[in-house]
Amino acid sequence: MIDTPIKMANSPNALVSIDSLRRRRVVSAILALPVIAFAGAASSGPAFQQGGPDARVVTLTFLKSAPGRLSQLERYVRANWFAMDEIAVQRGLFVSYGWFDTGSDEGPWNAGVMVTYRDARGFAGIQDAWSEIRAAHREVRIDGATQADLGRIVESREIFERTPFVTAPDLGTPPAGTGPDTALADETAVRAVVDKYFEGGVTGNPEPIREAFLPSARIEGLRGDQLVTWSFDDYVRNFDGTPAPGADRIERNVTRVAIQGDSATVQLRLRFSPSRALDEQLLLLRINGQWRITYKSYTPSAQSLIG
């Protein structure tokens, strides 16, 4: 079993822990990817039993590379799994695909792939078409090694992604000279800044907050009917290196990311209990190549916890 909670956009009950923040590279990549196709491992089944027209299946497959062979495992996945996945995307079977890893050999898993199917039927809806694609593929070995030489599948999970779907078309047509890789890199960078913000909230450490925000940032929100405004200097004084009581039990979810050029907006939900949550909006700007939060607003959430 995977021992670290993983934040998923549009996923209920997504938790942030100290351990998950230490794996920030993985978490950011998972959240950013529009999702990968997985070439044939057994799945433990959907986490939710109901799909419907407002949902589509997402598959997460976690891998453990052989010692020192993570980069070769990635090359194998790209040359084999992704070669088939690209055909599936072109035929409209999957939405898209990608790769994430921890960059080390540590942990019960250190790499993974994701897949989003276009509806809630998941693999059952495309099984015959996928079998044709797979039968036509010829394995590409990496430095003479097969998949079994390079790593193993630890676990595969399926969940439902609910509307509104956050995919590349939602962000508009990329300008000339950009493409999916650029958009993915931008969103990964934006989400890494959000993870810094989350880390400060969990640990009470001011340094991640200073890294995430501009010194000129402003924070505004509603407490009842009253508007409360903070300068960044006033806001960061709340972080004295000591976690607030219950800070590690707050559910922190990214619900949407939208990027236009050098500006980005991120919507968050922070749930403190089944009956109490805040909706937050962050505005980020890319300045000298670095994304920083310039504005944060918050309001009480009208939505109750599902499930």
Side-chain angles (χ1 to χ4, degrees):
M1 294 294 294
I2 305 306
D3 62 356
T4 302
I6 297 177
K7 302 191 297 296
M8 288 293 299
N10 303 321
S11 173
N13 306 327
L15 304 179
V16 176
S17 68
I18 299 293
D19 186 40
S20 69
L21 288 165
R22 289 184 182 131
R23 301 187 185 186
R24 188 178 304 114
R25 178 180 174 188
V26 178
V27 168
S28 298
I30 292 175
L31 289 170
L33 290 172
V35 185
I36 307 179
F38 164 57
S43 169
S44 59
F48 307 100
Q49 298 304 313
Q50 297 294 327
D54 64 340
R56 57 193 186 190
V57 168
V58 177
T59 302
L60 299 173
T61 301
F62 299 92
L63 306 167
K64 178 68 173 180
S65 69
R69 310 198 78 171
L70 177 60
S71 63
Q72 289 176 302
L73 178 61
E74 179 180 0
R75 288 165 56 198
Y76 183 94
V77 168
R78 293 186 182 279
N80 292 279
W81 294 18
F82 288 5
M84 293 183 283
D85 294 346
E86 179 60 26
I87 296 171
V89 169
Q90 293 172 0
R91 295 185 183 181
L93 306 177
F94 301 138
V95 175
S96 56
Y97 56 90
W99 164 273
F100 58 92
D101 68 67
T102 67
S104 76
D105 288 341
E106 298 179 1
W109 58 272
N110 63 342
V113 293
M114 301 168 64
V115 58
T116 295
Y117 300 90
R118 290 197 176 276
D119 58 44
R121 293 176 299 169
F123 185 74
I126 57 92
Q127 188 168 0
D128 291 343
W130 178 258
S131 295
E132 177 185 343
I133 294 171
R134 190 169 186 181
H137 179 73
R138 296 295 176 264
E139 182 186 37
V140 177
R141 297 193 176 194
I142 303 300
D143 303 325
T146 67
Q147 178 180 322
D149 299 322
L150 301 174
R152 58 185 174 86
I153 296 168
V154 175
E155 182 179 355
S156 183
R157 296 181 182 180
E158 288 184 349
I159 61 175
F160 284 115
E161 181 187 10
R162 306 268 180 190
T163 56
F165 302 132
V166 182
T167 54
D170 295 334
L171 304 180
T173 302
T178 65
D181 289 345
T182 300
L184 177 58
D186 286 346
E187 189 167 348
T188 300
V190 167
R191 289 181 183 270
V193 175
V194 175
D195 280 338
K196 286 285 187 182
Y197 166 54
F198 283 164
E199 181 180 353
V202 172
T203 65
N205 186 349
E207 291 310 313
I209 300 298
R210 291 193 177 98
E211 292 178 30
F213 286 78
L214 282 175
S216 58
R218 190 167 81 255
I219 295 89
E220 294 185 315
L222 292 177
R223 291 185 179 177
D225 295 330
Q226 298 297 314
L227 175 66
V228 178
T229 300
W230 304 71
S231 70
F232 178 72
D233 287 341
D234 290 336
Y235 177 69
V236 79
R237 289 191 186 101
N238 292 298
F239 301 87
D240 60 2
T242 303
D248 60 344
R249 295 191 297 273
I250 298 171
E251 296 177 12
R252 295 169 168 87
N253 302 305
V254 176
T255 59
R256 185 173 178 82
V257 175
I259 301 173
Q260 293 289 343
D262 291 327
S263 67
T265 56
V266 179
Q267 296 178 6
L268 311 173
R269 177 159 296 144
L270 276 62
R271 184 167 295 281
F272 303 88
S273 71
S275 60
R276 180 170 174 255
L278 290 178
D279 288 332
E280 297 190 348
Q281 296 78 38
L282 305 178
L283 173 63
L284 294 86
L285 295 178
R286 177 165 39 199
I287 302 172
N288 297 325
Q290 299 294 317
W291 289 98
R292 304 285 292 279
I293 300 170
T294 65
Y295 182 79
K296 165 188 161 178
S297 67
Y298 60 90
T299 56
S301 174
Q303 294 196 11
S304 60
L305 184 62
I306 299 173

